[in-house]
Amino acid sequence: MELHTLKAHELQDKLRKKEVSATEIAQSFLKRIDAVEDKVQAFITRTPEAALAQARRVDEKIARGERLAPLAGLPGVLKDNICVKGTKTTCGSRILENFVPPYDATVAARLAGQDAVILGKTNLDEFAMGSSTENSAFFTSRNPWDLSAVPGGSSGGSGAAVSAAMALWGLGSDTGGSVRLPAAFCGIVGLKPTYGRVSRYGLVAYGSSLDQIGPLTRDVRDCALVMGAIAGHDPLDSTSVEAPVPDYTKALVPDLKGMKIGIPKEYFVAGLDPAVEKAIQGAIEQLRSLGAECREVSMPHTEYALAAYYLIATSEASSNLARYDGVGYGHRGQGNDIVAMYKRTRTEGFGEEARRRIMLGTYALSSGYYDAYYLKALKVRTLIRQDFDKAFDQVDVLVAPISPTTAFKIGEKVEDPLAMYLQDVCTVPINLAGVPAISLPCGFSGGLPVGLQIIGRPLGEEALLRAAYAFEQANDYHRRLAPVGEV
Amino acid sequence: MDYEIVIGLEVHTELKTRSKIFCGCSTTFGAEQNTNVCPVCLGLPGVLPVLNAKVLEFAVRTGLALNCRILPFSKFDRKNYYYPDLPKNFQTSQYDLPIAVDGHLDIEVNGEARRIGITRVHMEEDAGKLVHAGTIAKSDYALVDYNRTGVPLLEIVSEPDIRSAEEAKAYLEKLKAILQYIDVSDCKMEEGSLRCDANISLRPRGESKFGTKAELKNLNSFKAVQKGLEYEALRQEQVLGEGGKIVQETRSWDDSRGVTVSLRSKEQAHDYRYFPEPDLVPIVVDPQWIEAIRRDLPELPDARQGRLVEQYGLSGYDAGVITASRAMADYFDGLVAAGAEAKAAANWLMGEVAKHLNASGQPVEECPVTAQALAELISLVDKGTISGKIAKTVFEEMWTSGKTAAAIVQEQGLIQISDAGEMVAIVERVIAANPQSVADYRAGKERAIGFLVGQVMKETKGRANPELVNRLLREHM
Amino acid sequence: MKITRQDVEQVALLSRLEIAGGEAEKFTGQLNAIFGYIDMLNKVDTEGVEPTAHVLPLKNVMRPDEVRASLPREEALANAPAREDGFFKVPKILEG
């Protein structure tokens, strides 16, 4: 048995029993990366030396009999919009192609504090704007289940790396579905935590009021493990929640007796692929058989979420991305005066989607349109939150699709931005409401995984994980390994 | 036509916190370029701001001192524009819900009291500093220092209630005094910790509609504020008088040439695209906390001036001069507390002390002669131990050597000679040595006695009690 | 609501982006399609609805006024495209 096919919690166990060393684990993953990365193209930057050095430190701790942190010696990857001091952080953009942060993101510091082994930084749609990694300035990552299909985005590199067993876990960021969609497309588990649960300090901002870092893992237990490592209050993030972090693995019980599950009918509408719908309905039946009480609920403002989302996210982005101007860091274009330099820098440095969203957001905020667009979107956001509040008065969690379809082919949607945006229709309401949601596999269609979304109350990650775990354990999707081009 | 001048001032003041508004970098002025910077104030990708609690406290204190209403719900917004002194290309500021609104302050110009409305007080971050090689227009490049980026600022906006350049100066002086009294800012215009922009327009007297305004920048001193506004009012009057129209524009005061010049209109009109800062949460101040800050406010300039008049019988003018700065007023109170008689204390403060401070360029806080030490000197004069004239010499010596008045008087033997026995011998010697003057006096020339007193003073090195000398001379001639 | 080519050019200027000839047409078309979709929000009655700028009920998050270490200047300037004497260096500023 090869080590890289195991789950993080399984290797954690073996490491503690001294059946393997952290160095062996790291070497196994580095070998796996060498074997399949050419086909998958998940990494922007690989850090094998640092990974091995960290693994050796863990082995030394083991030799000295020191206590190990939960993630110690377990290799993972970070989306390349999470700052790591001294390691290039590009955001998948030319404009930050050579940017080396002089500081660590809070999650990076926490993982280092836990002796986690970092294998590298993964590909993404530029500044996390996209659903496929096709907006990366560097290359498009591949779906390990079908190399001609996208891995989903924007955290597609992390999704593909975990799915192709190049890493035990990955971190992504989710502004409108960017953790959950690649999890669904790649057949793994992805969690978008409650807004404020995981520090955003050091996560390069896209839509600040929506962004949240979350784990991508091969099963629910690993998800709970990584969540435990990254969640918690951070004084450097004013929007960080102070609530104590529970032991998420304690929530993992394989039955759902007494759990009330809501099925929001508005998530099952035209455009939903019949195969996807069938897999979701099958999953609902299974949840029921596991003891959950399922009932239909209504969330009447769902159809407006995507429009509100694109206004809010792009407005915030237009301001967040103003700093890339060639003055203090990043790419600088030629220009004889400051304004010419700004324009050249930003036109050369940003890809088309980033430029489109900057313009969209600038327009939405500009004088004369603010009330009609941005303010209107914030009000609709209130109505969407109220939909969730009302639903959670009746049920503990909600179940819905992640995406109307399974992974699409590379190149299929690049010419039609609106069609690409519609990919996010089932995921963006969750970010607008700030609630947590998990994606996990619930079936396959044409060899490609289908993602099931379970949505919880604010800070209700434990309920999500419990429902996801019970469902996962009743199936074997988490035991399947993506073929990565092999038949 | 008779025009009325309408002026509103926008004042920016740097708060004297230890650290910046959104990060822990030091606010120290004059550090080497780009040494008080960190990922947050450099606006690096991924960073987030966290509000300095002291900034909020200072803002509330200022709002209360300016008679404002503190808004129960306040928030930060982003003001978006591109400029290289602004690393994020947006300034974190407050837009529609500033911390304080609807205040006023009272000024007095030429004996006329006026109340100037304060529209709002809001918190924001300062920008960095640009250094141009040569002039801004001729230089090929500029250099940027981000030390000042993120230093906390309050913007204090007045209503367009000001009616003359003189009033504008009085408003600014009063505002500065208040900010210093409540200890939130150093208000050093020369270091940029107090900055002032003005909006000025003219309208026919009696008209209620405002005329087109010009925004005046680069008013770097109190004098510049007054001169710049005086010039601009004249310029506008002339334009209007010739049947011309005022263009809404930004103009810069050129202090060396004494004129305002139009700044080339910007490439496009600004569209700041304000929206709520998503990285900072709202501010909801507790009314009890506001009341606690209100209770802790020190006595403000107007109240203090009133007290000095009432309690010590100082003239309104003197009390005004002394209370114009808190440090000066504190020094005065220190003198009185140390036993000095109030009027003498006021005279010393506005006389010798002010003269020496002006000459040395020091603020009163750094006065080498403490209030306690000066009070001792004043009491030596009161008791007749030394003469008023000698006291000035002693003060001089105290200033340079730091010694006490008593020690100097002792060392140099400056004690006034009030003993008639000791004096008689000297008086007789002077009378004997100056027969001509004595003859003149006896012939009725009263002036001659002045010369003889002078001679006695010379003999005694100024230590003689002048009244005693006068009496003895008359008796002995 | 129709977005014109002039609107796109104005927005590009505000965003400090250049728009090449063919791109202006393309962006105009795309932004019209996207805002055409967004205009569905006009159907929502938001009378009396408070806007949500923050999903969290957080308020008054502050730090004490304490000085913390700044970056060594070399690290602050390490990513700068151009520098001189410890300053960041930028092209001339035409704006008055």
Side-chain angles (χ1 to χ4, degrees):
Chain A
M1 184 181 51
E2 293 182 90
L3 293 178
H4 68 257
T5 62
L6 298 176
K7 309 288 194 287
H9 59 88
E10 292 166 339
L11 282 169
Q12 184 193 49
D13 198 42
K14 285 186 180 298
L15 199 58
R16 276 162 178 64
K17 290 181 180 154
K18 301 190 183 173
E19 291 171 20
V20 292
S21 70
T23 305
E24 283 166 337
I25 295 173
Q27 280 166 341
S28 167
F29 278 93
L30 291 172
K31 213 175 107 201
R32 173 69 175 172
I33 292 169
D34 285 340
V36 300
E37 167 63 2
D38 277 358
K39 288 186 274 186
V40 179
Q41 299 193 51
F43 287 86
I44 290 177
T45 302
R46 295 196 229 169
T47 53
E49 292 84 8
L52 285 171
Q54 179 66 272
R56 274 196 298 277
R57 278 194 293 275
V58 172
D59 286 332
E60 284 160 17
K61 281 197 177 181
I62 293 171
R64 289 196 299 266
E66 288 180 32
R67 259 180 77 97
L68 293 185
L71 279 187
L74 303 179
V77 292
L78 304 178
K79 188 179 185 178
D80 205 20
N81 61 352
I82 296 171
C83 287
V84 176
K85 185 175 177 174
T87 301
K88 225 169 54 165
T89 298
T90 68
C91 294
S93 180
R94 290 273 170 232
I95 214 158
L96 288 179
E97 193 167 0
N98 298 308
F99 175 67
V100 179
Y103 79 103
D104 269 329
T106 296
V107 290
R110 282 195 184 176
L111 290 168
Q114 297 226 0
D115 297 318
V117 170
I118 308 296
L119 297 165
K121 311 285 299 287
T122 57
N123 195 26
L124 66 156
D125 289 291
E126 185 175 19
F127 287 102
M129 296 174 169
S131 310
S132 67
T133 72
E134 288 166 296
N135 296 330
S136 166
F138 308 121
F139 48 83
T140 298
S141 300
R142 313 273 158 162
N143 190 316
W145 295 91
D146 174 356
L147 296 176
S148 68
V150 301
S154 62
S155 314
S158 285
V162 173
S163 168
M166 290 192 281
L168 287 170
W169 55 269
L171 291 191
S173 65
D174 191 316
T175 307
S178 281
V179 163
R180 289 162 289 156
L181 186 66
F185 281 9
C186 293
I188 56 173
V189 176
L191 175 65
K192 198 292 281 187
T194 306
Y195 185 81
R197 178 79 284 194
V198 177
S199 169
R200 293 185 294 119
Y201 187 77
L203 167 68
V204 180
Y206 159 27
S208 311
S209 75
L210 305 155
D211 294 341
Q212 191 62 194
I213 291 172
L216 292 119
T217 58
R218 297 233 297 281
D219 69 8
V220 175
R221 183 169 294 279
D222 283 1
C223 178
L225 201 63
V226 179
M227 259 309 278
I230 61 173
H233 179 250
D234 178 11
L236 298 177
D237 177 356
S238 304
T239 63
S240 168
V241 173
E242 290 225 33
V245 179
D247 179 351
Y248 291 112
T249 59
K250 292 232 167 78
L252 309 179
V253 290
D255 80 75
L256 296 177
K257 284 197 189 68
M259 184 176 268
K260 287 186 210 147
I261 295 180
I263 320 296
K265 61 180 183 194
E266 290 82 2
Y267 283 73
F268 298 82
V269 287
L272 188 58
D273 181 330
V276 171
E277 177 153 20
K278 193 166 154 243
I280 305 286
Q281 295 298 356
I284 292 167
E285 281 316 306
Q286 250 188 317
L287 289 167
R288 194 171 272 144
S289 71
L290 288 164
E293 182 194 314
C294 299
R295 69 169 80 154
E296 190 178 274
V297 294
S298 174
M299 306 182 73
H301 298 94
T302 303
E303 65 167 312
Y304 304 111
L306 193 71
Y309 168 80
Y310 270 93
L311 287 171
I312 293 168
T314 60
S315 293
E316 292 176 0
S318 71
S319 172
N320 286 331
L321 270 58
R323 73 190 64 199
Y324 307 108
D325 61 359
V327 173
Y329 46 83
H331 173 75
R332 174 183 287 190
Q334 268 300 315
N336 288 332
D337 65 78
I338 191 88
V339 175
M341 187 279 275
Y342 283 157
K343 288 183 180 172
R344 203 84 274 272
T345 296
R346 293 167 60 78
T347 306
E348 289 171 354
F350 289 129
E352 188 176 317
E353 183 60 27
R355 281 184 286 144
R356 182 159 40 240
R357 292 197 195 192
I358 288 168
M359 290 202 289
L360 213 158
T362 302
Y363 185 73
L365 287 176
S366 61
S367 124
Y369 300 110
Y370 181 87
D371 287 2
Y373 289 127
Y374 187 72
L375 191 61
K376 182 82 180 182
L378 293 188
K379 289 177 177 176
V380 171
R381 186 175 192 178
T382 304
L383 297 173
I384 287 162
R385 282 177 63 199
Q386 289 170 352
D387 279 359
F388 278 94
D389 289 347
K390 283 175 198 151
F392 286 127
D393 282 345
Q394 306 165 51
V395 298
D396 300 311
V397 295
L398 298 161
V399 167
I402 285 286
S403 161
T405 65
T406 53
F408 50 88
K409 296 288 181 190
I410 292 170
E412 195 181 315
K413 297 188 180 184
V414 279
E415 283 309 310
D416 186 352
L418 187 54
M420 192 71 99
Y421 296 176
L422 288 168
Q423 198 61 52
D424 302 335
V425 68
C426 299
T427 48
V428 297
I430 283 75
N431 299 78
L432 289 171
V435 296
I438 196 167
S439 171
L440 75 163
C442 68
F444 282 82
S445 166
L448 287 167
V450 176
L452 174 71
Q453 177 164 233
I454 307 174
I455 307 156
R457 296 190 176 101
L459 299 179
E461 278 84 357
E462 287 163 288
L464 295 189
L465 288 165
R466 179 184 161 199
Y469 181 72
F471 179 80
E472 175 190 84
Q473 293 301 308
N475 293 285
D476 73 340
Y477 306 120
H478 64 298
R479 294 198 186 90
R480 299 192 198 173
L481 216 52
V484 197
E486 314 284 333
V487 182
Chain B
M1 177 142 11
D2 184 20
Y3 291 102
E4 180 178 48
I5 302 170
V6 176
I7 296 169
L9 295 184
E10 273 175 30
V11 172
H12 287 91
T13 186
E14 282 183 358
L15 296 176
K16 52 194 238 190
T17 54
R18 284 193 283 269
S19 64
K20 292 185 177 181
I21 182 168
F22 298 128
C23 67
C25 285
S26 165
T27 54
T28 313
F29 179 80
E32 258 198 70
Q33 60 270 25
N34 294 309
T35 52
N36 289 344
V37 293
C38 74
V40 174
C41 56
L42 286 172
L44 294 190
V47 297
L48 298 170
V50 184
L51 178 63
N52 181 341
K54 204 78 189 170
V55 174
L56 177 64
E57 185 191 325
F58 281 178
V60 169
R61 202 189 288 175
T62 304
L64 293 175
L66 296 174
N67 308 295
C68 291
R69 193 157 54 82
I70 304 301
L71 288 190
F73 183 99
S74 178
K75 68 180 172 73
F76 283 96
D77 300 274
R78 291 186 184 177
K79 178 181 183 179
N80 294 284
Y81 65 97
Y82 284 83
Y83 210 68
D85 62 4
L86 202 59
K88 299 175 296 203
N89 287 318
F90 63 78
Q91 181 190 31
T92 302
S93 181
Q94 296 197 279
Y95 183 50
D96 55 339
L97 293 169
I99 186 69
V101 298
D102 297 340
H104 63 259
L105 66 74
D106 295 323
I107 56 169
E108 197 182 302
V109 172
N110 301 328
E112 194 198 341
R114 300 241 17 240
R115 174 159 289 186
I116 309 298
I118 307 273
T119 315
R120 56 187 280 152
V121 176
H122 76 243
M123 301 174 272
E124 62 185 25
E125 58 184 341
D126 207 346
K129 254 190 170 140
L130 296 175
V131 180
H132 301 277
T135 65
I136 185 165
K138 283 180 191 143
S139 139
D140 283 340
Y141 61 90
L143 299 173
V144 195
D145 172 12
Y146 289 123
N147 280 348
R148 207 180 62 182
T149 307
V151 168
L153 285 182
L154 288 185
E155 180 174 323
I156 300 162
V157 183
S158 88
E159 289 287 302
D161 289 347
I162 299 166
R163 292 290 170 268
S164 70
E166 228 182 334
E167 283 186 12
K169 182 161 169 274
Y171 167 88
L172 201 57
E173 278 169 346
K174 178 58 77 63
L175 182 58
K176 174 181 168 174
I178 290 172
L179 295 172
Q180 287 181 333
Y181 266 67
I182 60 174
D183 207 21
V184 299
S185 174
D186 290 331
C187 294
K188 292 180 181 163
M189 274 189 118
E190 67 282 6
E191 287 182 9
S193 66
L194 186 74
R195 308 197 279 272
C196 178
D197 297 331
N199 287 309
I200 170 168
S201 63
L202 263 50
R203 64 182 170 191
R205 204 167 289 282
E207 169 69 61
S208 62
K209 244 176 57 195
F210 292 126
T212 307
K213 68 183 179 187
E215 189 186 3
L216 220 52
K217 289 195 178 288
N218 200 32
L219 302 169
N220 292 331
S221 66
F222 287 89
K223 226 169 92 184
V225 169
Q226 187 170 357
K227 296 225 166 207
L229 285 168
E230 275 167 2
Y231 175 89
E232 182 60 18
L234 277 174
R235 186 192 71 85
Q236 291 191 12
E237 192 180 340
Q238 196 171 354
V239 171
L240 293 171
E242 288 165 1
K245 268 195 174 157
I246 302 299
V247 184
Q248 180 156 355
E249 63 182 349
T250 302
R251 300 180 68 86
S252 178
W253 169 244
D254 183 333
D255 207 35
S256 57
R257 292 196 297 146
V259 295
T260 66
V261 289
S262 175
L263 292 174
R264 197 147 47 89
S265 62
K266 308 215 162 148
E267 204 176 321
Q268 73 273 331
H270 277 303
D271 184 345
Y272 290 126
R273 290 159 285 134
Y274 282 101
F275 73 103
E277 167 59 272
D279 293 330
L280 290 167
V281 299
I283 296 156
V284 181
V285 284
D286 175 7
Q288 288 189 332
W289 183 62
I290 297 177
E291 286 319 305
I293 293 180
R294 196 194 301 276
R295 274 195 305 277
D296 285 351
L297 280 180
E299 189 183 27
L300 295 177
D302 289 349
R304 202 159 184 177
Q305 183 185 2
R307 177 168 65 81
L308 261 50
V309 171
E310 223 165 275
Q311 196 172 337
Y312 302 119
L314 298 190
S315 73
Y317 176 82
D318 287 359
V321 171
I322 289 168
T323 56
S325 98
R326 181 180 177 173
M328 197 78 157
D330 285 348
Y331 194 96
F332 174 82
D333 279 343
L335 285 173
V336 175
E341 191 271 321
K343 280 185 184 160
N347 288 337
W348 272 94
L349 191 49
M350 294 188 298
E352 290 305 296
V353 175
K355 196 175 88 187
H356 279 76
L357 289 174
N358 273 344
S360 70
Q362 282 167 293
V364 68
E365 301 91 301
E366 290 166 25
C367 182
V369 179
T370 64
Q372 180 70 39
L374 178 55
E376 280 167 25
L377 175 64
I378 294 172
S379 85
L380 289 179
V381 180
D382 272 359
K383 285 187 286 188
T385 313
I386 56 171
S387 70
K389 189 158 176 235
I390 287 285
K392 289 187 184 178
T393 321
V394 174
F395 180 80
E396 190 83 49
E397 180 71 19
M398 288 167 78
W399 184 279
T400 48
S401 71
K403 288 179 187 163
T404 64
I408 294 165
V409 167
Q410 189 70 35
E411 271 171 30
Q412 304 188 4
L414 300 176
I415 295 172
Q416 184 163 264
I417 305 164
S418 300
D419 175 35
E422 196 181 330
M423 282 299 298
V424 169
I426 302 167
V427 164
E428 284 178 344
R429 224 168 34 240
V430 168
I431 288 172
N434 295 285
Q436 184 59 49
S437 296
V438 173
D440 287 350
Y441 173 73
R442 287 188 179 136
K445 289 189 184 163
E446 188 63 20
R447 263 194 315 178
I449 194 140
F451 174 77
L452 292 168
V453 170
Q455 291 303 304
V456 175
M457 289 316 243
K458 202 168 152 193
E459 284 270 318
T460 60
K461 300 203 173 70
R463 290 162 55 225
N465 181 332
E467 284 163 40
L468 182 65
V469 174
N470 215 293
R471 181 162 60 79
L472 290 176
L473 279 170
R474 287 175 202 275
E475 280 172 14
H476 289 263
M477 282 189 292
Chain C
M1 170 82 238
K2 181 98 175 79
I3 298 167
T4 64
R5 195 182 154 138
Q6 283 69 36
D7 292 334
V8 170
E9 278 164 4
Q10 170 63 15
V11 163
L13 185 61
L14 277 175
S15 315
R16 297 292 186 268
L17 291 169
E18 292 168 5
I19 296 274
E23 261 189 345
E25 292 302 318
K26 184 171 153 189
F27 278 131
T28 306
Q30 287 174 342
L31 290 186
N32 268 307
I34 294 163
F35 277 98
Y37 176 81
I38 284 171
D39 279 342
M40 73 154 76
L41 293 184
N42 295 333
K43 291 192 292 182
V44 189
D45 180 7
T46 51
E47 188 67 38
V49 176
E50 284 291 315
T52 293
H54 291 89
V55 286
L56 296 167
L58 290 175
K59 58 180 188 187
N60 302 341
V61 175
M62 287 178 269
R63 40 170 270 272
D65 180 25
E66 284 162 10
V67 174
R68 308 190 64 165
S70 293
L71 280 179
R73 184 160 71 191
E74 196 40 47
E75 282 186 40
L77 287 159
N79 283 293
R83 51 194 280 192
E84 188 174 298
D85 297 337
F87 290 97
F88 294 88
K89 188 175 176 182
V90 298
K92 67 182 164 203
I93 299 158
L94 290 177
E95 235 175 350

